[in-house]
Amino acid sequence: MSALKMAQCGITSSKTVLVFLNLIFWAAAGILCYVGAYVFITYDDYDHFFEDVYTLIPAVIIIAVGALLFIIGLIGCCATVRESYCGLATFVIILLLVFMTEVAVVVLGYIYRAKVENEVNHSINEVYDEYNGTNSNAQSRAIDYVQRQLQCCGIHNYSDWQSTHWYEESKNNSVPISCCKTNTGSCTGSLTHPEDLYQEGCEALVVKKLKEIMMYIIWTALTFASIQMLGMLCACVVLCRRVRDPAYELLITGGTQA
């Protein structure tokens, strides 16, 4: 009877943890989809500074994994409650595939994170040269947005504007209004009052922002890959007990042992 009780205790603990993890998988699915959508939205704001669209591959995979986790959570809960060998085996296999996918996301995240600085350095000069100050110009909207959001001005500092086509054509010795500090309401962008302008350049801040986005993806993938490892472990415990432990077979068939 002691063997039966030990089997029951082990199985109950594993099943409880497994059901709890499946609930976490549902929450994780929503978080992964949110992170993927956040990357897409943020990339849209900075896409002029980063031309490699393949950078979005980790975000696409994260969203796909999030959608799959909804299904995994359902399969896992049903298989655990019903103690289905086939269901639990399917659950483990799918979790293993998702785990491998998330490892790939981490690797891709690190690869593209290393490429960010070179990409931005290559494209940012072209974007500033195409600035014309109108809202209909995509480059102008992108630069004004970045300068306001990151509180920066120019590529390395506000003096970089003096070498742009926009500055030469405007001939008013000023920089865009988006360079003005938020607490200076009378700022017109004039270079005669540089204290009213953001002092830091945008290049380094754009690189920092894009690297942060990649780190969000990497840490999200690592966190949920760790949770999935625990889920696979608990499912394997239940499966192995059922296959190898006669006391477990006696437990689920309602038998007794002297």
Side-chain angles (χ1 to χ4, degrees), residues 89-235:
T90 302
F91 176 72
V92 171
I93 292 170
I94 296 176
L95 267 187
L96 180 61
L97 293 174
V98 171
F99 175 79
M100 293 170 62
T101 302
E102 288 181 333
V103 171
V105 167
V106 172
V107 173
L108 288 173
Y110 273 109
I111 290 173
Y112 288 121
R113 188 174 184 269
K115 293 173 63 179
V116 163
E117 191 165 356
N118 288 334
E119 286 280 342
V120 173
N121 291 343
H122 174 73
S123 61
I124 195 167
N125 285 290
E126 296 177 7
V127 177
Y128 270 82
D129 279 339
E130 294 175 13
Y131 183 91
N132 64 15
T134 63
N135 196 49
S136 59
N137 180 261
Q139 287 79 6
S140 299
R141 291 197 305 271
I143 289 173
D144 286 335
Y145 173 83
V146 166
Q147 291 189 153
R148 289 192 180 100
Q149 287 293 113
L150 302 183
Q151 298 186 348
C152 56
C153 184
I155 299 173
H156 303 102
N157 55 58
Y158 62 84
S159 65
D160 293 326
W161 278 104
Q162 293 175 296
S163 60
T164 63
H165 296 305
W166 176 83
Y167 181 87
E168 293 172 359
E169 292 173 1
S170 62
K171 298 178 181 179
N172 58 4
N173 194 37
S174 66
V175 296
I177 299 297
S178 55
C179 281
C180 292
K181 295 179 180 177
T182 53
N183 59 351
T184 53
S186 59
C187 177
T188 61
S190 175
L191 290 175
T192 57
H193 298 286
E195 68 278 2
D196 294 341
L197 308 175
Y198 294 124
Q199 303 298 305
E200 193 169 358
C202 294
E203 183 179 43
L205 294 178
V206 169
V207 170
K208 181 181 177 182
K209 183 67 176 181
L210 290 172
K211 285 186 174 182
E212 285 177 355
I213 293 170
M214 284 299 163
M215 285 308 299
Y216 291 151
I217 295 177
I218 291 169
W219 282 112
T220 301
L222 281 174
T223 300
F224 292 114
S226 302
I227 295 173
Q228 285 160 22
M229 283 184 66
L230 183 57
M232 285 188 287
L233 178 62
C234 291

Side-chain angles (χ1 to χ4, degrees), residues 13-33:
S13 298
S14 296
K15 285 172 62 178
T16 302
V17 173
L18 198 52
V19 170
F20 178 71
L21 284 174
N22 284 310
L23 296 177
I24 292 179
F25 289 157
W26 280 332
I31 294 173
L32 288 173
C33 289

